[in-house]
C-alpha cells in the first residue's frame, strides 16, 4: 500500500537576504532537507505574478493565470551571470525583519534591480529567450503588454485606462506595443528568467524523487490579463464590466460571508469551446508542477454569485457549475493526471458526488475535526472516518498553526482531543506533535504538514487569515529552522507510519556511502604520498 508524506511551505517563506524567498540556494537546500527527511512532496502556494506595490500580495490574486512572479527570480543567479553585482543587491533595502516579507519595499527596490539585469543581459542574442517567447506567445504577448501599459498609466487598474486599450482594440494594441517596446521586452525577460530558474529547481527536486504540489486558484484577478484579453470567458457586460463577482456565504471563517470580487466564468461559452481555456491552463500547470491542487473545488459544482452592483455576500445566490463535464474533457485531452480537490467549506451532496465521480483525492484538515457541541464521532474530519483517497493536513495556509490553534482552545476543547487520543499526560506545549502523529497514522494515502507545524510555531507564523486583507502572506522562516534534529524527527515519524519516500532515502544513503568511500580513498592517497616523501628523504 503506497503511503507518502510531504511538507507545505510557500516559496515566499524561504530564507533570503533579499527580502523574500526565491529560487536561490535556500530553495535547493530545502529540497535536500526534504530528501533527507524521507518526504515525497513539497507543496507550495501559487507562483503567479502578484500586485507590484501592494502592501500584502495575495498569491490568489495574480495578474495572469500563466505568468510567474518576478519576485522569485534569484538575484544571486543574476550576479553569477554578471548582469548584477553583489554591491548593487546588498545596497538595496528589503526590510530588516528576516521573518517578514515587506512587499512595498520589494516593489520599490527589487524590480529596478531586475531592470538593470535586463539592460545588461543582451537578451535579444539569447536563442533560449527567443524560443521561450515563440513557444509562449499565446499568453506572454498579452501579459507583457498588459503589465507595461499598467505601469505606463501609473499602476492604475485596467478599468481606468483609455477606452481603446481598455477594450483591447487592435489599433491600440499596436500603438502601445510599439511605444512601450522595451518595457514589453523587460516583462518577457522576467518571465523567461522565472521559467528558466523554476524549471531548474523543479528538475533538481524531481531528480531527488521529490514531487512538487502546485496550487491554482479557481478564479483570476479582476484586474488581470485574462479578463482584459479574453473578456468572453467571463460574466461581463458590453463594456467589459463585471456583472457578477465571486465570493462565499457566511461560514466558520467569515460570519458575514466573503466578497472576493473575482469575475465569474461564462461557463456556457467555455462549454461551447470544449473548455479550451481550462484545458490549456491545466496543460501549462502540469509543465510547472507534478500534482495540481485546485482551490475552491466546490465552485465547479455550484458557485456563489454576488451581484457586482451590490457587492454584499448576503445578496448572493448559488449557480450550477460545469460539473463532471469539465473534468471528463480534461481527462480526454490531458490523460490521467494527479489532482487534489480542495473541497473545504460548506459541503453538499452535490460536491461530495463531484469529488467521488472525479476520483480526485480531497482534503481533510484535523483542525476541523473537533467541536465541543458534537460528541457523536461522525464528523468527517475525525481520523477514524477517513478513507484512503484523500490528503490529510494538520492545517493549511488559511488556518492557524496547529500549536497556535491548540493553545487557543478552551479547556473543554483540549480535553475532547485528549480523550480522543487517550492522552492526559503530554504537556500542552507538545500537543502539536500529537496532532501531527494523528495525521501521519491515519488511513489517508497522503499526509502533508506545514513546516510551521513541524517546528511547533505559534500563530505569529500564520500565513493567512481569511476575510482579512492585511498582515497576510508575509511569514518567512529563519535560516536555522530546518535543523538536522528536526529532519531526523520528521524522518522517524514518517518511517514509523509507512510514509517514507524510500527512493529519496536510498539516494541519500548511497550518496553518503560514496562520500565516505571518497574520503577514505583521499586519506589513503595522502598517507601514501606522505610515506613516499619520507622514503625519498
Amino acid at each position: 500500500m503506497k503511503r507518502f508524506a510531504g511538507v507545505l511551505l510557500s516559496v515566499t517563506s524561504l530564507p533570503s537576504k533579499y527580502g523574500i524567498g526565491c529560487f536561490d540556494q535556500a530553495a535547493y537546500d530545502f529540497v535536500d532537507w526534504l530528501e533527507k527527511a524521507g518526504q515525497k512532496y513539497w507543496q507550495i502556494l501559487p507562483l503567479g505574478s502578484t500586485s507590484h506595490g501592494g502592501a500584502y500580495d495575495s498569491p490568489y490574486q495574480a495578474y495572469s493565470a500563466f505568468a510567474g512572479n518576478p519576485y522569485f527570480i534569484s538575484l544571486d543567479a543574476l550576479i553569477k551571470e554578471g548582469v548584477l553585482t553583489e554591491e548593487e543587491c546588498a545596497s538595496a533595502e528589503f526590510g530588516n525583519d528576516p521573518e517578514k516579507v515587506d512587499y512595498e519595499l520589494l516593489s520599490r527596490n527589487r524590480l529596478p534591480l531586475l531592470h538593470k539585469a535586463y539592460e545588461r543581459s543582451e537578451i535579444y542574442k539569447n536563442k533560449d529567450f527567443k524560443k521561450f517567447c515563440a513557444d509562449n506567445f499565446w499568453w506572454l504577448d498579452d501579459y507583457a503588454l498588459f503589465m507595461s501599459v499598467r505601469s505606463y498609466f501609473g499602476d492604475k487598474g485596467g478599468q481606468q485606462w483609455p477606452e481603446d486599450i481598455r477594450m483591447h482594440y487592435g489599433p491600440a494594441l499596436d500603438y502601445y506595443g510599439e511605444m512601450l517596446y522595451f518595457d514589453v521586452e523587460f516583462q518577457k525577460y522576467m518571465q523567461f528568467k522565472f521559467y528558466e530558474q523554476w524549471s531548474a529547481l523543479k528538475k533538481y527536486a524531481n531528480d531527488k524523487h521529490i514531487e512538487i504540489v502546485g496550487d491554482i486558484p479557481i478564479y483570476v484577478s479582476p484586474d488581470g490579463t485574462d479578463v482584459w484579453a479574453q473578456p468572453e470567458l467571463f460574466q461581463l457586460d458590453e463594456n467589459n464590466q463585471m456583472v457578477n463577482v465571486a465570493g462565499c456565504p457566511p461560514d466558520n471563517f467569515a460570519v458575514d460571508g466573503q466578497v472576493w470580487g473575482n469575475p465569474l466564468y461564462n461557463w456556457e461559452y467555455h462549454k461551447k469551446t470544449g473548455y479550451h481555456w481550462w484545458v490549456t491552463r491545466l496543460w501549462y500547470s502540469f509543465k510547472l508542477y507534478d500534482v495540481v491542487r485546485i482551490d475552491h473545488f466546490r465552485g465547479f459544482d455550484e458557485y456563489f454569485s454576488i451581484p457586482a452592483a451590490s457587492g454584499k455576500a448576503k445578496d448572493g445566490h448559488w449557480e450550477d457549475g460545469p460539473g463532471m463535464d469539465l473534468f471528463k474533457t480534461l481527462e480526454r485531452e490531458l490523460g490521467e493526471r494527479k489532482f487534489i480537490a480542495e473541497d473545504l467549506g460548506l459541503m453538499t451532496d452535490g460536491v461530495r458526488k463531484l469529488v467521488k465521480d472525479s476520483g480526485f483525492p480531497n482534503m481533510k484538515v484535523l483542525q476541523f475535526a473537533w467541536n465541543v457541541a458534537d460528541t457523536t464521532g461522525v464528523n468527517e474530519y475525525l481520523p477514524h472516518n477517513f478513507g484512503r483517497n484523500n490528503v490529510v493536513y494538520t492545517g493549511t495556509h488559511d488556518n492557524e498553526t496547529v500549536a497556535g490553534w491548540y493553545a487557543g482552545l478552551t479547556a473543554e476543547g483540549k480535553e475532547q482531543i485528549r480523550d480522543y487520543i487517550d492522552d492526559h499526560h503530554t504537556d500542552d506545549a507538545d500537543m502539536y506533535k500529537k496532532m501531527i502523529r494523528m495525521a501521519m497514522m491515519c488511513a489517508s494515502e497522503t499526509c502533508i504538514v506545514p513546516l510551521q507545524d513541524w517546528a511547533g510555531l505559534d500563530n505569529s507564523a500564520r500565513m493567512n487569515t481569511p476575510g482579512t486583507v492585511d498582515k497576510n502572506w508575509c511569514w518567512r522562516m529563519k535560516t536555522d529552522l530546518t535543523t538536522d534534529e528536526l529532519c531526523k524527527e520528521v524522518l522517524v515519524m514518517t518511517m514509523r507510519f509507512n510514509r517514507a519516500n524510500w527512493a529519496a532515502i536510498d539516494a541519500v544513503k548511497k550518496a553518503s556511502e560514496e562520500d565516505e568511500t571518497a574520503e577514505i580513498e583521499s586519506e589513503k592517497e595522502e598517507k601514501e604520498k606522505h610515506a613516499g616523501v619520507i622514503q625519498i628523504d
Side-chain angles (χ1 to χ4, degrees):
M1 181 173 67
K2 293 182 178 179
R3 287 163 59 85
F4 292 111
V7 173
L8 169 61
L9 180 72
S10 171
V11 172
T12 61
S13 297
L14 290 166
S16 169
K17 55 189 174 183
Y18 301 127
I20 192 171
C22 59
F23 306 147
D24 61 8
Q25 188 57 47
Y28 287 83
D29 291 343
F30 184 65
V31 170
D32 291 341
W33 188 87
L34 291 172
E35 180 190 36
K36 293 175 183 176
Q39 302 300 286
K40 174 72 171 178
Y41 299 111
W42 176 11
Q43 180 171 328
I44 59 177
L45 298 187
L47 294 177
S49 176
T50 55
S51 64
H52 306 322
Y56 305 99
D57 286 24
S58 168
Y60 294 90
Q61 292 282 5
Y63 283 129
S64 167
F66 302 95
N69 196 330
Y71 289 156
F72 295 152
I73 298 171
S74 169
L75 299 184
D76 283 339
L78 298 181
I79 291 172
K80 290 180 180 178
E81 288 181 24
V83 292
L84 288 177
T85 67
E86 292 184 8
E87 292 75 19
E88 287 171 333
C89 296
S91 63
E93 184 182 0
F94 297 115
N96 298 318
D97 189 345
E99 295 184 80
K100 180 182 178 181
V101 178
D102 189 324
Y103 288 103
E104 289 187 6
L105 284 178
L106 282 175
S107 66
R108 290 205 301 266
N109 300 322
R110 196 178 185 97
L111 294 180
L113 283 172
L114 294 175
H115 201 280
K116 282 184 180 180
Y118 158 69
E119 291 172 340
R120 298 166 181 168
S121 66
E122 296 187 335
I123 194 65
Y124 60 90
K125 297 180 181 179
N126 189 315
K127 293 181 180 179
D128 291 335
F129 172 69
K130 292 179 179 179
K131 185 177 187 305
F132 173 79
C133 292
D135 289 345
N136 295 280
F137 76 93
W138 48 273
W139 67 264
L140 183 61
D141 288 357
D142 274 319
Y143 168 78
L145 182 57
F146 175 88
M147 297 301 292
S148 299
V149 173
R150 199 177 193 284
S151 178
Y152 177 74
F153 286 116
D155 284 328
K156 291 181 180 179
Q159 293 301 324
Q160 300 179 57
W161 298 352
E163 182 181 9
D164 58 349
I165 190 64
R166 178 179 67 80
M167 294 295 290
H168 202 258
Y169 293 151
L173 301 181
D174 294 338
Y175 172 79
Y176 285 99
E178 182 177 349
M179 180 176 66
L180 302 174
Y181 175 81
F182 291 106
D183 295 316
V184 170
E185 289 296 288
F186 170 53
Q187 293 293 335
K188 292 181 178 180
Y189 167 79
M190 289 194 292
Q191 289 306 306
F192 170 65
K193 299 311 294 185
F194 169 92
Y195 187 80
E196 179 183 64
Q197 292 186 9
W198 172 247
S199 297
L201 177 58
K202 180 180 180 294
K203 182 179 186 305
Y204 184 81
N206 291 164
D207 287 346
K208 288 182 172 288
H209 310 285
I210 306 293
E211 294 186 12
I212 304 295
V213 179
D215 190 337
I216 65 168
I218 182 175
Y219 295 122
V220 300
S221 172
D223 179 29
T225 311
D226 308 285
V227 179
W228 174 65
Q230 296 180 276
E232 65 276 6
L233 299 175
F234 306 94
Q235 295 182 23
L236 309 180
D237 62 19
E238 64 276 6
N239 295 313
N240 290 353
Q241 302 291 325
M242 292 184 292
V243 177
N244 301 296
V245 298
C248 67
D251 58 18
N252 291 334
F253 284 128
V255 294
D256 295 323
Q258 298 177 50
V259 181
W260 300 332
N262 305 84
L264 293 171
Y265 294 106
N266 180 351
W267 284 117
E268 183 178 348
Y269 177 85
H270 284 271
K271 183 178 177 63
K272 288 180 180 178
T273 63
Y275 302 102
H276 174 75
W277 185 84
W278 273 99
V279 170
T280 304
R281 185 185 187 190
L282 270 300
W283 166 79
Y284 193 78
S285 295
F286 280 107
K287 291 180 65 177
L288 301 177
Y289 317 118
D290 301 296
V291 184
V292 171
R293 171 193 180 272
I294 304 180
D295 189 54
H296 195 59
F297 191 78
R298 75 147 303 159
F300 296 105
D301 174 55
E302 290 181 307
Y303 61 90
F304 200 63
S305 175
I306 302 171
S310 164
K312 295 181 180 179
K314 67 180 182 65
D315 295 328
H317 65 280
W318 292 101
E319 292 278 355
D320 289 337
M324 274 303 298
D325 191 39
L326 169 62
F327 298 108
K328 287 178 180 177
T329 301
L330 290 173
E331 184 175 8
R332 182 173 64 250
E333 297 294 330
L334 302 178
E336 188 173 340
R337 302 289 185 131
K338 293 182 179 180
F339 289 98
I340 296 175
E342 187 276 288
D343 61 340
L344 306 177
L346 180 65
M347 291 290 288
T348 65
D349 290 341
V351 180
R352 292 187 177 93
K353 185 176 188 306
L354 181 61
V355 171
K356 181 179 179 181
D357 291 347
S358 72
F360 303 157
N362 62 331
M363 293 176 58
K364 302 295 183 184
V365 179
L366 289 191
Q367 290 186 35
F368 298 160
W370 285 274
N371 184 331
V372 294
D374 179 11
T375 58
T376 62
V378 298
N379 187 321
E380 63 185 286
Y381 294 106
L382 285 166
H384 64 260
N385 290 321
F386 295 174
R388 289 197 65 241
N389 191 33
N390 55 66
V391 183
V392 61
Y393 297 78
T394 49
T396 73
H397 61 273
D398 282 334
N399 294 105
E400 300 175 76
T401 65
V402 75
W405 170 78
Y406 185 83
L409 292 176
T410 64
E412 186 179 1
K414 292 177 180 178
E415 190 67 14
Q416 191 179 50
I417 295 173
R418 290 181 178 277
D419 285 343
Y420 184 83
I421 62 176
D422 195 21
D423 183 338
H424 297 273
H425 304 289
T426 300
D427 291 340
D428 274 5
D430 289 330
M431 281 297 290
Y432 74 91
K433 296 181 180 179
K434 297 296 183 178
M435 295 294 296
I436 295 174
R437 185 178 188 274
M438 222 185 306
M440 295 290 279
M441 71 186 297
C442 75
S444 303
E445 184 174 301
T446 303
C447 173
I448 294 180
V449 177
L451 184 64
Q452 296 98 308
D453 289 352
W454 273 117
L457 301 182
D458 62 24
N459 279 335
S460 64
R462 182 172 185 169
M463 203 63 186
N464 179 52
T465 302
T468 67
V469 294
D470 61 354
K471 300 180 181 179
N472 294 324
W473 319 112
C474 296
W475 177 77
R476 297 169 63 201
M477 61 180 275
K478 291 183 177 179
T479 55
D480 61 353
L481 187 65
T482 46
T483 61
D484 290 342
E485 181 181 0
L486 181 60
C487 182
K488 183 178 180 181
E489 184 178 333
V490 174
L491 176 61
V492 168
M493 191 177 293
T494 301
M495 293 177 66
R496 178 178 296 138
F497 296 109
N498 189 29
R499 295 188 180 277
N501 182 358
W502 285 106
I505 293 173
D506 290 343
V508 171
K509 183 179 179 181
K510 181 179 179 181
S512 178
E513 291 173 347
E514 289 175 350
D515 288 344
E516 186 176 344
T517 300
E519 185 177 348
I520 292 173
E521 290 296 325
S522 178
E523 289 178 357
K524 182 179 178 182
E525 289 177 5
E526 282 296 316
K527 288 180 179 179
E528 291 176 348
K529 180 180 178 181
H530 183 65
V533 170
I534 294 175
Q535 199 170 30
I536 292 172
D537 291 344

